[in-house]
Amino acid sequence: MVLKTTKCIFLLFALYLTPRLFSLEEDVDLHDFYYKVDMFLEEKKGVFVALTDMIFESEMSAEISQLRTFTQQDKTVSNMKALNNRIKNDITTINKKAHILGFYGAKTSYKIQVENSKNIRVKMYINLGRIFNLKLNIKYLNQDDEFNRKYNSIMQAKLRMFKASIAEIKALVDIAVKDLRRDGFFEPSVTEKRVCIDYKAHSAILNLSIDPGKKVCFSETEIRAFPDISTEFIKNRIVWNEGDFFDIEDLEATAENLKNTQIFSNVKIEPAKDRLIDNKIPMIIELEEDKKH
């Protein structure tokens, strides 16, 4: 269980627990001992804020409860070396998870105390530090300076919503690609995605290079469906027109329109890349009948 502590709680805890300390060597036989694990989040420089609480509890508590040290507590321990190895492996996992969440300066430590002749208490201390900010260095390949300035400005404005967690970095990359796919580019590709950590500045720098590809317009639409379905019925639910610039949201909206009819069990819409001519790309809509209807 994850416990949120303040200086006051630490003081009360220290007064409550005054364990007898022993010099425990790694080769000491502990086969008659049971142990319990307590975990504490340490406050540091006032950065233990609601955001930290939310991320830690929602993303890490489940993983922590499944770690070997926690799942095997209250079982007898064979020796100190085995217990230390088990704890160290779990701490490595905790630190990796903290890094994934954007706490690249996180540190985890532990103490082992003998409370009585039959019990050992393992105390783990997690100091998350500060969640790192995310910075973005993005380049659009094969495009002029004006294009790069325009899309850089768009992405830098969105960057304020993001921190340096792996999930948010991935989301930012997805947004950069989708922005292009909403603006005529049907097949942009990410050619570089590299993160550099600046520990002094408490930030992670995402170096991102994207080749937007070719800007295209919708041309004719090929419909592949089953007998007895009206082609006009399908066309009336297409939200783009021939000559419009490609927009991935038009594909999504059309697919939603067709699914909402409850006539189709599967709807697939995609550009016919092999039939791209100049800046015009045909679309293919494939539909399968829902037998229940």
Side-chain angles (χ1 to χ4, degrees):
M1 181 179 68
V2 177
L3 300 176
K4 293 182 253 184
T5 61
T6 62
K7 293 179 181 178
C8 181
I9 293 176
F10 271 120
L11 179 60
L12 292 173
F13 182 78
L15 294 172
Y16 174 73
L17 283 180
T18 54
R20 293 183 295 121
L21 300 179
F22 292 80
S23 176
L24 296 176
E25 301 297 333
E26 287 199 343
D27 59 351
V28 171
D29 185 10
L30 296 175
H31 67 277
D32 288 333
F33 279 82
Y34 291 83
Y35 69 95
K36 182 177 181 181
V37 185
D38 294 322
M39 184 167 291
F40 306 92
L41 292 176
E42 293 182 300
E43 183 176 359
K44 183 181 180 182
K45 297 181 181 179
V47 297
F48 193 69
V49 294
L51 176 64
T52 303
D53 294 349
M54 179 184 69
I55 292 178
F56 188 84
E57 290 186 10
S58 63
E59 299 291 338
M60 290 186 71
S61 59
E63 286 83 354
I64 288 174
S65 65
Q66 297 173 21
L67 293 177
R68 190 177 181 191
T69 309
F70 287 85
T71 57
Q72 295 191 3
Q73 68 178 337
D74 298 327
K75 294 182 179 179
T76 55
V77 191
S78 58
N79 58 66
M80 180 56 63
K81 183 176 181 179
L83 179 59
N84 269 301
N85 288 339
R86 187 180 303 170
I87 295 168
K88 288 175 181 177
N89 287 337
D90 283 354
I91 285 178
T92 298
T93 301
I94 292 170
N95 286 338
K96 285 181 179 178
K97 185 64 179 178
H99 294 168
I100 289 172
L101 293 173
F103 296 95
Y104 295 94
K107 295 179 181 178
T108 305
S109 59
Y110 71 98
K111 292 180 181 178
I112 298 177
Q113 296 178 330
V114 178
E115 293 187 311
N116 55 53
S117 60
K118 291 292 182 182
N119 291 293
I120 291 175
R121 183 173 291 268
V122 178
K123 296 194 287 187
M124 287 187 177
Y125 300 91
I126 299 177
N127 191 327
L128 289 175
R130 289 166 52 185
I131 189 167
F132 278 38
N133 293 318
L134 183 60
K135 296 180 179 180
L136 178 62
N137 178 21
I138 186 169
K139 294 179 181 178
Y140 296 92
L141 305 179
N142 304 313
Q143 302 295 326
D144 58 24
D145 291 343
E146 183 179 349
F147 184 99
N148 268 275
R149 281 193 296 270
K150 173 186 173 182
Y151 283 93
N152 253 295
S153 177
I154 292 171
M155 290 305 300
Q156 293 298 335
K158 293 180 179 181
L159 183 63
R160 298 169 190 165
M161 301 182 295
F162 292 87
K163 295 295 182 180
S165 71
I166 298 301
E168 289 184 81
I169 289 172
K170 182 180 182 300
L172 188 64
V173 174
D174 291 344
I175 286 173
V177 171
K178 188 165 186 178
D179 277 355
L180 292 168
R181 298 194 77 198
R182 290 175 54 216
D183 201 17
F185 300 92
F186 79 99
E187 198 175 32
S189 61
V190 177
T191 60
E192 180 191 24
K193 184 174 59 177
R194 181 167 48 91
V195 177
C196 298
I197 306 300
D198 186 341
Y199 289 94
K200 289 184 179 180
H202 290 93
S203 63
I205 303 167
L206 171 61
N207 295 291
L208 188 62
S209 296
I210 300 178
D211 184 353
K214 192 168 187 177
K215 190 166 187 175
V216 299
C217 298
F218 291 110
S219 61
E220 73 275 5
T221 299
E222 178 185 348
I223 297 173
R224 300 174 182 174
F226 45 90
D228 303 325
I229 184 71
S230 168
T231 301
E232 288 302 313
F233 178 85
I234 297 168
K235 287 183 176 180
N236 288 339
R237 283 154 180 80
I238 297 174
V239 303
W240 68 80
N241 297 305
E242 284 193 37
D244 291 347
F245 280 119
F246 178 87
D247 186 340
I248 188 63
E249 291 188 349
D250 287 347
L251 274 64
E252 295 169 352
T254 298
E256 189 66 22
N257 287 344
L258 292 167
K259 289 174 184 176
N260 287 341
T261 65
Q262 299 185 353
I263 295 175
F264 310 107
S265 62
N266 187 46
V267 177
K268 182 179 179 182
I269 306 175
E270 60 182 16
K273 295 185 289 185
D274 57 337
R275 289 154 56 186
L276 174 63
I277 300 176
D278 296 327
N279 70 328
K280 297 180 180 179
I281 190 163
M283 302 300 299
I284 299 174
I285 300 178
E286 296 185 24
L287 303 165
E288 294 180 14
E289 183 181 8
D290 189 340
K291 301 297 184 180
K292 297 190 295 295
H293 297 83

